[in-house]
Amino acid sequence: MSIGTFISFEGIDGAGKSTHIARVADLFSQAGRAVVLTREPGGTPVSEKLRELVLHEPMDPLTEALLMFAARREHLVQVIEPALVRGDVVLCDRFTDATFAYQGGGRGFDWQVLGALERMVQQRPIQDPSSVSDPHAGHDRAGGNPSLRQPDLTVWFDLDPLIAAQRLASARVPDKFESQPADFFAAVRAGYARRLAEMPSRFARIDAAQAMEAVGADVTRIVRDWLHRRAP
Ligand code: TYD
């Protein structure tokens, strides 16, 4: 049975989510929960190798989408699903919504094809059906397709791409995605908005243009309220 908590964090590059994920981890640790902090693409040795490729090598859009989902499959099987079965809290810096936003919105890759890949990769049960007995497989608290593994809660740091670009300008050497122009990120943002519209019950949108402390306060409130509502 899957009894853990799965929370993902999303937003365009420069939206500032990383700092706040650590804060949410502290919140759960203080409440005595075991926390698994992870990220996509990445989170396993194989997935981290795929991350190196997709973040730095130019490639065909279908190849890019397939590698994102390949990395995700490995991550789900090796890390996310076992943690949820143990009852841990999984905090994931990006998940499938990023593929819809970046490859779907940003690159203009076919939304329906991404949906087919999502179903293939996230169909429950994730592990070999003969090795797990999960009475809750097929029951998804978060809405959407009931038989897919999805985050229970997705915190979306929503930010105007022009502000994000200003924040990133001084930050670091950009990777393949970070070096995209502002209109790419406007399309990524629209991709996130479309995912929210498709699955509103698991999304919480935060105005990431606020000062960092205000964003942090929003994140804490959202997670606390959500846990409160979810409590039996
Ligand atoms: P990011 O999460 O921003 O990590 P860091 O803070 O270390 O730069 O980088 C991951 C990049 O990969 C980001 O630009 C979004 C992109 N990405 C996709 O294009 N599709 C996906 O499915 C995922 C998970 C990420």
Side-chain angles (χ1 to χ4, degrees):
M1 172 177 160
S2 169
I3 49 170
T5 302
F6 183 15
I7 304 180
S8 64
F9 300 84
E10 298 284 356
I12 61 172
D13 292 272
K17 60 189 160 44
S18 305
T19 321
H20 302 290
I21 300 175
R23 205 192 266 230
V24 176
D26 287 345
L27 207 74
F28 280 105
S29 299
Q30 281 158 18
R33 299 283 302 273
V35 176
V36 174
L37 261 180
T38 189
R39 69 171 180 181
E40 290 210 346
T44 77
V46 168
S47 310
E48 290 290 333
K49 284 186 179 167
L50 294 174
R51 178 187 176 94
E52 274 308 302
L53 286 175
V54 283
L55 262 53
H56 300 291
E57 303 291 339
M59 60 184 70
D60 162 76
L62 175 58
T63 309
E64 188 175 280
L66 289 171
L67 289 182
M68 292 296 180
F69 274 110
R72 178 160 306 126
R73 176 70 194 176
E74 200 61 18
H75 191 208
L76 270 170
V77 171
Q78 302 292 342
V79 175
I80 296 177
E81 207 62 23
L84 294 175
V85 169
R86 285 196 303 271
D88 294 357
V89 177
V90 176
L91 303 180
C92 197
D93 189 340
R94 303 190 184 281
F95 193 63
T96 306
D97 299 313
T99 313
F100 280 85
Y102 280 78
Q103 279 65 51
R107 296 256 190 260
F109 191 78
D110 191 298
W111 200 265
Q112 308 306 325
V113 174
L114 294 179
L117 294 172
E118 177 184 41
R119 285 191 294 282
M120 190 183 294
V121 166
Q122 291 162 230
Q123 189 74 45
R124 300 177 68 197
I126 298 291
Q127 284 122 325
D128 173 2
S130 62
S131 71
V132 286
S133 153
D134 181 357
H136 293 283
H139 174 76
D140 177 6
R141 289 179 296 254
N145 185 326
S147 60
L148 298 190
R149 169 60 75 199
Q150 295 287 12
D152 299 310
L153 171 67
T154 296
V155 182
W156 173 30
F157 294 82
D158 186 26
L159 184 63
D160 184 323
L162 296 176
I163 302 176
Q166 283 162 11
R167 288 184 183 173
L168 276 180
S170 55
R172 57 191 164 188
V173 180
D175 63 34
K176 200 176 89 183
F177 295 102
E178 287 163 351
S179 52
Q180 293 290 326
D183 60 348
F184 174 85
F185 288 106
V188 172
R189 186 188 197 190
Y192 278 125
R194 182 169 172 186
R195 282 290 271 184
L196 179 148
E198 288 176 353
M199 281 170 278
S201 65
R202 75 172 163 86
F203 268 90
R205 180 191 163 279
I206 287 181
D207 175 7
Q210 301 175 92
M212 194 158 102
E213 277 315 304
V215 174
D218 275 2
V219 175
T220 305
R221 179 183 47 76
I222 282 167
V223 172
R224 287 217 168 103
D225 287 357
W226 177 80
L227 284 170
H228 187 70
R229 281 202 308 279
R230 191 194 172 188

